[in-house]
Amino acid sequence: MNEFTKISKNNLIKENQILIQVLGICSTLAVTNNLRNTMIMAIGVTLVTGLSNLTVSFLKKYIPRKVRMMVETLIIAFYVIIVDIILRAYLPDVSKALGPYVGLIITNCIIMGRAEAFAQANTPLISLWDGLTAGAGYALVLVIVAFIRELLGFGTIFNIRIMPKSFTPWTIMVMAPSAFFIVALLMWVAKSMSLKAGGKK
């Protein structure tokens, strides 16, 4: 198994940032009641994580160790602002729906975590891949949660009605606590599978 495959498996499944490492929970609870908005948020976080990792890895030799986290925050903020500007320009309705959560990507623990734990110690290309796959693992969980919440909360997928007219929407699915319960169930399944796989070894 080469390095890229190993990183992909770890970031998507074995060490998923949300399900195993319990990072990025706030946005998971807040933005997952609409699949379209969730996917755009997930793409934004994935790109910011990948590009931040790439930039930190390129510049790590020139960043004094004592101020490295400040510089990393500036790098992350730079990419988040670009994502925010693009959303405001081309998808204003999505930008308005996501509100402050786009700006709060800066505080997402996953991005700073990958920059500190991986990009500071690895080459640019592999760091870019680590950032993109870590973001993809985050996106995977968000999309699953959003799919369940939108389907049961509104009876739609991508704002297209799927459930019959007789279906009564589950109001709780539109509220943040539903995301909490769904994420908890997914964590339970992921942890059980991880322990089972570990036991077989």
Side-chain angles (χ1 to χ4, degrees), residues 78-138:
F78 170 76
Y79 288 116
V80 171
I81 290 169
I82 289 177
V83 169
D84 192 28
I85 290 171
I86 291 172
L87 284 180
R88 286 172 189 264
Y90 297 103
L91 295 167
D93 55 329
V94 174
S95 176
K96 190 176 179 182
L98 291 174
Y101 293 105
V102 176
L104 286 173
I105 292 174
I106 296 170
T107 64
N108 191 313
C109 305
I110 296 171
I111 305 171
M112 180 61 83
R114 298 324 296 168
E116 267 293 289
F118 197 93
Q120 281 286 352
N122 289 281
T123 58
L125 185 59
I126 198 79
S127 296
L128 171 65
W129 184 249
D130 175 77
L132 291 175
T133 52
Y138 167 86

Side-chain angles (χ1 to χ4, degrees), residues 9 20 22 31 34 48 50 63 66 74 89 92 105 108-109 125 133 144-145 154 161 188 190 199:
K9 286 188 174 179
I20 304 299
V22 198
V31 303
N34 180 283
V48 170
I63 302 173
K66 288 183 178 178
L74 285 173
I105 292 174
N108 191 313
C109 305
L125 185 59
T133 52
I144 293 171
V145 175
F154 297 104
R161 174 155 285 283
W188 175 58

Side-chain angles (χ1 to χ4, degrees), residues 18 27-46 87 94 97-98 101 105 135 138-150 154 158-159 179:
I18 295 177
S27 56
T28 307
L29 302 180
V31 303
T32 51
N33 62 359
N34 180 283
L35 197 50
R36 178 178 175 237
N37 295 348
T38 299
M39 289 192 75
I40 291 169
M41 179 74 173
I43 290 168
V45 170
T46 301
L87 284 180
V94 174
L98 291 174
Y101 293 105
I105 292 174
Y138 167 86
L140 178 67
V141 177
L142 255 66
V143 167
I144 293 171
V145 175
F147 181 88
I148 296 170
R149 290 185 71 190
E150 186 177 339
F154 297 104
F158 290 113
N159 298 323

